[in-house]
Amino acid sequence: MPAARLEYVAPWWVVWLHSVPHLDLRLQPVDSTFRPRDESYRESLLFLGLVAAVGLGLNLVFLVVRVICVCCCGRRQVVQTKRRDSCCVTWTAVVAGLVCCAAVGVGFYGNSETSDGVYQLIYSLDNANHTFSGIDELVLGTTEKMQVDLEQHLARLGEVFAARGDYIQSLKLVQQMAGSIMAQLSVVPKWREVSAELTELAKQTSYVEYFRWFSYLLFFIMDLVICFLTCLGLAKRSRCLLVSMLCCGVLTLLLCWASLAVDTAAAVGTSDFCTAPDTFILNVTEGHVSTEVARYYLYCSQSSSSPFQQVLTTFQRSLTSMQTQVAGLLQFALPHFPTAEKDLLEIQLLLNSSESSLHQLTAMLDCRGLHKDYVDGLSGICYDGVEGLLYLSLFSLLAALAFSTLVCTGPRAWKIFTTRDRDYDDIDEDDPFNPQARRIATHNTPRGPLHSFCSYSSGLGSQISLQPPTQTISNAPVSEYMNQAALFGGNPRYENVPLIGRGSPPPTYSPSMRATYLSVAEEQHLRHYGNEFPA
């Protein structure tokens, strides 16, 4: 049974993209038929790119308005509100990062699908090119055999059989059949120009596809790196890293919209071709190949006959007649003319080789092989290719959304960082519970008290001189407390000296409580130093 003919049916997404309104730059409707050489049609595809440019402009306007609103917004004083803003910025950045990762995943799939479709098209073009080249080689090789090799053998046999008119008549019949074969082979189309164009098309397509695939791969990696470093800048509260990555995010945003414009125009243009590819190919091949031959390979209908059927039938009949004549000469003339044996055998081998070429030519001229390559190429570019372009368009939209969100969170995060640093710097340096104040007091301790204390603690005087200085009860400022803490800090001899004894009574004590506490503290103080320095 003959193999079922392959049918091409445009997928639904191709039909949907083909129905997108086509408008030129003057906003006039344009026919959606694929006509890449028509200026108005090219303007309609350019208009789709301009729509993406308008989207980019609106996106940038939104980002500018957002930044202005954040910068002009008044400073919030409530701590809970600050914490809520910080939490909101953090979670927004996390969600934007997840959207960016999802977009890159979609982009990887779309990039792979597009590459698969394009390389399937290139593979089909190479197969078709191989078939066309094979047809030309068979036709050219058979013609050369009939025109050169056969003529040489017939000329030598004519000299040998010059005395026999019947043998000369057989040679003329063979020569006539050879001329008929060459005349029939001249009807077969010459695919040399078509093959050259297909070769160039496959080469350029492969070149463009390689750089397209590699560019998108770098784009995906750059998106992930920028998104990661932006989130890292927010986590580390690094202003420099945050500003650098936000600038790169704006650049990536521009690339996302540019990618969307190119992918959309390419998807719509390819869909216009995939909706009616036969019409476009018939128009392109007009003048190179006859319409009958082009339709035969494009549709490959079982009801339609091959335009080469008559050529192949005549070839077969002429070849059979020539083989009959040569066989008769071998049977009857060879016993009388032994010198003609070599030429007759050479002619027989040539005819057998021509018969093998005839079978190969019949298989190559059949529409099923080329039609299969045609359908495979259409399926690759119209199914996988257009589908991949749609996924790449979705990636561009998701990536633009993610980076727009990250850019929006940048000014808010900057303001939160600035507010926290300002609040930290506004803390009173005299506050004993401020770690910064403690560090300042430690590093900036006055030299005077330290010198007197060292002379007191290291002198070789009497035991009375070793007694600690007289402690006065006063409401000294906190800075005095910090100086005393720096002087006595880390000395085990003064670990148990009460806070009040160091001149820093709690401000909330009542007079009676304060007097009681001071008496107890002084008693403990004297007992401690009396034991440490006996008389």
Side-chain angles (χ1 to χ4, degrees):
M1 295 179 62
R5 188 175 70 90
L6 298 176
E7 294 287 348
Y8 164 75
V9 179
W12 64 267
W13 54 84
V14 166
V15 178
W16 174 68
L17 289 173
H18 179 66
S19 62
V20 172
H22 291 59
L23 301 175
D24 59 12
L25 299 181
R26 295 177 297 276
L27 302 180
Q28 297 296 325
V30 177
D31 186 12
S32 59
T33 303
F34 185 69
R35 295 169 289 115
R37 297 181 180 179
D38 186 74
E39 183 178 358
S40 60
Y41 180 78
R42 292 199 300 265
E43 288 183 359
S44 66
L45 298 181
L46 180 60
F47 180 80
L48 296 175
L50 294 178
V51 171
V54 172
L56 171 62
L58 295 176
N59 193 358
L60 293 178
V61 169
F62 170 77
L63 293 179
V64 171
V65 172
R66 172 66 179 174
V67 171
I68 293 176
C69 291
V70 171
C71 294
C72 296
C73 181
R75 177 185 175 185
R76 300 181 179 179
Q77 300 294 336
V78 183
V79 177
Q80 294 181 353
T81 305
K82 296 178 183 176
R83 293 178 178 177
R84 186 165 56 248
D85 287 346
S86 178
C87 183
C88 180
V89 169
T90 301
W91 282 106
T92 302
V94 169
V95 172
L98 294 177
V99 172
C100 182
C101 293
V104 171
V106 173
F108 267 111
Y109 178 76
N111 198 33
S112 177
E113 285 292 298
T114 304
S115 181
D116 291 343
V118 172
Y119 279 108
Q120 185 175 346
L121 173 63
I122 295 173
Y123 181 76
S124 299
L125 291 176
D126 290 338
N127 284 342
N129 190 24
H130 178 73
T131 301
F132 291 140
S133 300
I135 293 174
D136 286 342
E137 289 178 1
L138 287 175
V139 172
L140 181 61
T142 304
T143 302
E144 288 180 353
K145 289 178 182 178
M146 295 296 173
Q147 201 170 24
V148 178
D149 298 341
L150 183 62
E151 286 292 335
Q152 292 177 357
H153 294 299
L154 291 177
R156 285 195 293 266
L157 288 175
E159 295 176 358
V160 174
F161 298 146
R164 295 293 302 267
D166 52 347
Y167 295 161
I168 295 296
Q169 188 65 29
S170 297
L171 293 178
K172 289 183 179 181
L173 185 59
V174 171
Q175 189 176 12
Q176 183 180 359
M177 293 298 103
S180 176
I181 290 176
M182 289 187 293
Q184 293 299 324
L185 290 178
S186 64
V187 179
V188 178
K190 304 298 187 299
W191 301 102
R192 184 175 304 172
E193 295 182 3
V194 176
S195 178
E197 291 181 0
L198 291 180
T199 302
E200 185 65 21
L201 177 61
K203 183 178 179 181
Q204 291 182 357
T205 304
S206 177
Y207 180 80
V208 172
E209 173 58 23
Y210 173 77
F211 283 99
R212 186 207 63 81
W213 177 85
F214 189 70
S215 299
Y216 267 104
L217 183 63
L218 294 180
F219 191 23
F220 299 150
I221 296 175
M222 183 180 68
D223 286 353
L224 291 178
V225 171
I226 293 176
C227 183
F228 172 76
L229 292 179
T230 303
C231 295
L232 182 64
L234 292 174
K236 294 292 186 179
R237 306 184 188 280
S238 173
R239 297 183 182 180
C240 181
L241 184 61
L242 180 62
V243 171
S244 300
M245 292 305 103
L246 288 180
C247 293
C248 294
V250 174
L251 176 61
T252 306
L253 191 63
L254 298 176
L255 295 177
C256 288
W257 283 102
S259 171
L260 178 63
V262 174
D263 292 337
T264 303
V268 173
T270 307
S271 298
D272 293 338
F273 166 77
C274 294
T275 303
D278 302 337
T279 304
F280 174 74
I281 294 178
L282 287 173
N283 295 331
V284 170
T285 57
E286 186 177 1
H288 301 279
V289 182
S290 65
T291 304
E292 182 183 6
V293 174
R295 288 182 177 273
Y296 172 68
Y297 288 116
L298 291 178
Y299 301 107
C300 194
S301 176
Q302 296 179 357
S303 60
S304 61
S305 59
S306 172
F308 309 109
Q309 186 63 41
Q310 183 65 31
V311 174
L312 297 175
T313 302
T314 304
F315 191 175
Q316 181 66 51
R317 291 176 181 177
S318 301
L319 194 59
T320 303
S321 177
M322 293 172 65
Q323 290 175 338
T324 303
Q325 295 296 328
V326 172
L329 291 174
L330 284 172
Q331 182 178 1
F332 298 105
L334 189 58
H336 305 285
F337 300 95
T339 56
E341 179 180 5
K342 181 179 179 181
D343 289 318
L344 289 175
L345 292 177
E346 290 290 339
I347 291 176
Q348 192 175 36
L349 291 175
L350 186 149
L351 295 178
N352 292 336
S353 176
S354 299
E355 185 177 9
S356 176
S357 299
L358 172 63
H359 295 317
Q360 296 180 20
L361 185 62
T362 302
M364 288 186 175
L365 289 175
D366 188 78
C367 67
R368 285 174 294 182
L370 286 173
H371 185 73
K372 181 181 181 301
D373 295 333
Y374 173 65
V375 174
D376 289 344
L378 287 180
S379 300
I381 194 64
C382 299
Y383 278 81
D384 295 339
V386 177
E387 183 183 6
L389 290 176
L390 290 177
Y391 278 109
L392 288 177
S393 300
L394 179 60
F395 152 75
S396 299
L397 288 175
L398 292 177
L401 176 63
F403 282 100
S404 297
T405 305
L406 288 177
V407 172
C408 287
T409 58
R412 174 61 64 184
W414 179 275
K415 191 170 184 179
I416 291 176
F417 297 165
T418 305
T419 303
R420 288 188 174 182
D421 293 342
R422 188 186 303 115
D423 293 342
Y424 188 77
D425 294 336
D426 288 343
I427 298 176
D428 189 2
E429 295 181 357
D430 295 337
D431 186 0
F433 300 101
N434 180 10
Q436 186 177 7
R438 294 178 184 177
R439 291 193 298 268
I440 295 174
T442 302
H443 293 290
N444 297 331
T445 302
R447 296 294 181 181
L450 182 61
H451 176 73
S452 62
F453 173 72
C454 291
S455 62
Y456 155 76
S457 59
S458 60
L460 298 178
S462 63
Q463 295 177 359
I464 299 176
S465 65
L466 294 176
Q467 297 298 327
T470 305
Q471 299 181 8
T472 59
I473 302 174
S474 64
N475 291 328
V478 182
S479 59
E480 181 180 350
Y481 161 75
M482 295 304 300
N483 292 331
Q484 293 180 10
L487 292 173
F488 293 93
N491 194 331
R493 295 189 299 170
Y494 298 99
E495 280 184 336
N496 297 325
V497 178
L499 182 64
I500 301 253
R502 299 184 187 182
S504 305
T508 56
Y509 281 177
S510 62
S512 59
M513 294 176 61
R514 178 169 179 166
T516 303
Y517 189 82
L518 288 176
S519 61
V520 174
E522 185 173 1
E523 180 181 355
Q524 292 179 354
H525 179 70
L526 293 176
R527 186 184 302 114
H528 174 74
Y529 286 104
N531 295 333
E532 187 175 1
F533 304 105

